[in-house]
Amino acid sequence: MEQYVIRGGNPLVGEVEIGGAKNAALAILAASIMTDETVTIDNIPDVRDVNALLQAMSDIGARIDRVDAHTVKITGSSVRDISVDYDSMKKIRASYYLLGALLGKYKHAEVTLPGGCNIGSRPMDLHIKGFRALGADVQIRNGAVAAEAQKLKGSHIYLDKVSVGATINIMMAAAMAEGKTTIENAAKEPHVVDVANFLNSMGANIRGAGTDVIRIVGVENLHKTEYSVIPDQIEAGTFMFAAAATKGDVTVKNVIPKHLEATSAKLLEAGCEIEELDDAVRVVASKPLRHTQVTTLPYPGFPTDMQPQMSVVLGIAQGTSTVTESIFENRFKYVDELTRMGADIKVESNIAIISGVKGYTGARVSAPDLRAGAALVIAGLSAEGTTIVDDIHYIQRGYEAFEEKLEKLGAQIRRVQTEKEIQKFHFKAV
Ligand code: UD1
């Protein structure tokens, strides 16, 4: 099992290049099988979730031609199976996007229901409600969602809760339904817009993505395209919080600053200086960090995927902060780990009450999920002494070359596999 071993205390300084958005790439890759022609997608991150989805797509017959680490050509004409099995699904929850893509194109799809996830229960009722509204018969049988329709017909769909996954999945199926579909109370996340732009570049007719109401006029066929995925706002935000926690000075490059506004606003409140450039954001943390209040909300609110990283920064800020998690009910699992590093945090229901401490001290901790794992690495980078983060396979699901990028900014971090390697790192660092 791989681990990170980190010797904390170095301020992170310099520039870091941000990759393509994992969550946009996952949906775009799935949607690419909706045409029989070859689609070229660029700026995909080379991370485990993306590679697992490509494997699942190859398993159902799609031709996957990896041009390089960040570019792939996909040909959907060879898809011969509309059923995505348990093994693929277990590896990656977002293969549920194949449901919308296959249903739209072939009017028939079967995808195993995702298992429990460690940030809280993640139902699919809204996805299913949308597919049914489009005229599909949707059944849950033998642990899978099976959706089938003679033909899909445009409809008016109101989402009871803002859901990124349901919005994108319904948008994909509706892109090839007959007639007009309206999705109300749609998610407005940048990757919803990116998927709509991608589908439109294949000939779909989708308007309003990025607002609460998305209007789709179905088309019969989609065609080839070349498309570049947007930058990853969560990866960018993670490095911005790492700069803050280590009292550093980091410029995240190749980003869309507008997508980072909620993060930038909270870092400003916490006492950092933020400089917005055309396609970069600089974070300078030269003053003491201050307490603030944060609530996670759908975009343009503060992202739930940035909540653990924010809490790590507030854990060493002066005064008492509160962090309210309003999207997922079980996203404070990392708090016990952070407490082992000296944090003073109490969780009451969905609110973390954080009393700032002077600093963290190194400890052996375990990553409970993807973003919380990254947050523990940030804590380790700012801590006095050595931190070992176990279970980093979660982190590798969503961060490409995480340790290399951090090292370039001056971090002392190494990916290791054995106790011997940990000892070697200790010895070298002292
Ligand atoms: C996506 C992101 C994830 C992010 C989340 C919220 C991907 C692959 N993952 O997840 O990183 O944390 O958005 O920004 O893009 N819900 C229902 N019924 C449904 C669907 C969702 O009740 O059918 C609820 C969920 O339990 C949650 C809320 O809606 O409380 C938002 O979830 P949703 O936006 O769907 O998250 P995902 O798309 O799974």
Side-chain angles (χ1 to χ4, degrees):
M1 278 298 195
E2 289 187 321
Q3 299 146 314
Y4 282 137
V5 52
I6 302 160
R7 190 171 164 82
N10 284 10
L12 297 192
V13 178
E15 296 180 343
V16 58
E17 201 72 41
I18 299 305
K22 170 186 80 85
N23 288 347
L26 291 169
I28 287 171
L29 290 171
S32 66
I33 58 165
M34 295 177 72
T35 169
D36 286 337
E37 298 179 3
T38 300
V39 167
T40 306
I41 303 164
D42 189 19
N43 205 31
I44 55 167
D46 187 10
V47 294
R48 285 197 181 173
D49 274 12
V50 163
N51 296 328
L53 178 65
L54 288 172
Q55 183 60 51
M57 290 166 59
S58 164
D59 288 349
I60 58 169
R63 194 170 142 212
I64 311 292
D65 182 5
R66 195 72 174 250
V67 179
D68 59 41
H70 301 127
T71 312
V72 66
K73 284 182 189 287
I74 296 171
T75 314
S77 57
S78 49
V79 168
R80 50 183 144 62
D81 196 354
I82 47 75
S83 159
V84 181
D85 70 9
Y86 182 64
D87 274 350
S88 316
M89 203 61 209
K90 219 170 44 177
K91 280 196 210 114
I92 174 192
R93 185 184 154 83
S95 43
Y96 60 41
Y97 285 134
L98 290 172
L99 207 48
L102 289 167
L103 182 65
K105 171 89 194 298
Y106 298 101
K107 318 298 173 220
H108 190 183
E110 260 184 59
V111 176
T112 310
L113 262 177
C117 176
N118 40 15
I119 59 172
S121 98
R122 295 173 83 173
M124 287 193 63
D125 55 312
L126 297 172
H127 304 232
I128 293 171
K129 173 180 169 175
F131 296 147
R132 285 194 176 132
L134 294 174
D137 173 39
V138 187
Q139 306 285 336
I140 296 182
R141 52 170 184 253
N142 309 118
V145 183
E148 196 169 4
Q150 283 291 332
K151 58 179 180 187
L152 293 174
K153 283 200 75 174
S155 179
H156 193 111
I157 298 157
Y158 173 81
L159 295 178
D160 306 279
K161 208 169 175 181
V162 178
S163 160
V164 175
T167 302
I168 292 177
N169 237 342
I170 296 166
M171 195 164 77
M172 291 197 291
M176 293 189 82
E178 261 181 41
K180 289 184 192 165
T181 296
T182 308
I183 307 174
E184 278 198 72
N185 201 26
K188 295 181 279 202
E189 267 68 2
H191 48 295
V192 174
V193 181
D194 208 32
V195 180
N197 288 341
F198 170 70
L199 287 166
N200 284 342
S201 78
M202 288 205 296
N205 182 347
I206 301 172
R207 299 284 168 264
T211 74
D212 307 358
V213 185
I214 300 180
R215 294 176 209 283
I216 303 151
V217 182
V219 297
E220 262 183 42
N221 284 303
L222 296 172
H223 56 70
K224 67 181 174 186
T225 185
E226 290 183 12
Y227 197 82
S228 188
V229 175
I230 50 164
D232 196 316
Q233 52 153 340
I234 310 297
E235 186 195 14
T238 301
F239 282 99
M240 290 166 74
F241 286 117
T246 60
K247 315 235 173 311
D249 177 350
V250 171
T251 302
V252 290
K253 291 179 72 181
N254 182 33
V255 298
I256 299 172
K258 183 155 182 41
H259 296 170
L260 291 162
E261 271 173 0
T263 304
S264 297
K266 285 297 153 184
L267 282 172
L268 264 176
E269 283 175 29
C272 298
E273 288 162 55
I274 305 285
E275 195 184 336
E276 273 187 18
L277 306 152
D278 278 352
D279 63 353
V281 175
R282 181 177 174 200
V283 179
V284 185
S286 53
K287 299 189 200 113
L289 294 166
R290 289 193 303 260
H291 64 98
T292 187
Q293 326 298 329
V294 184
T295 301
T296 64
L297 285 169
Y299 188 84
F302 188 86
T304 172
D305 284 355
M306 221 85 94
Q307 180 263 100
Q309 301 91 313
M310 179 83 209
S311 297
V312 163
V313 170
L314 294 178
I316 48 171
Q318 285 171 1
T320 302
S321 302
T322 58
V323 173
T324 305
E325 173 55 59
S326 76
I327 312 284
F328 293 111
E329 75 270 20
N330 197 8
R331 221 169 180 176
F332 286 126
K333 272 196 168 170
Y334 63 90
V335 164
D336 287 346
E337 300 300 291
L338 208 51
T339 303
R340 305 181 63 241
M341 298 180 72
D344 182 354
I345 305 179
K346 283 191 188 62
V347 177
E348 284 173 16
S349 170
N350 65 334
I351 304 174
I353 301 148
I354 304 174
S355 306
V357 295
K358 268 199 150 165
Y360 297 118
T361 50
R364 186 161 193 150
V365 293
S366 175
D369 62 67
L370 165 59
R371 305 304 172 185
L376 291 171
V377 170
I378 296 175
L381 293 170
S382 83
E384 195 190 308
T386 303
T387 295
I388 296 164
V389 182
D390 288 323
D391 288 333
I392 63 166
H393 55 95
Y394 284 118
I395 301 172
Q396 291 161 342
R397 283 184 38 206
Y399 292 91
E400 180 177 340
F402 196 38
E403 65 277 14
E404 281 97 334
K405 289 185 183 184
L406 288 168
E407 265 188 304
K408 275 200 192 134
L409 295 170
Q412 291 190 56
I413 177 168
R414 192 121 332 133
R415 183 154 44 107
V416 296
Q417 278 198 331
T418 60
E419 286 298 320
K420 209 167 150 195
E421 282 180 281
I422 294 176
Q423 292 311 325
K424 209 166 126 195
F425 179 83
H426 270 300
F427 183 70
K428 255 187 99 177
V430 176

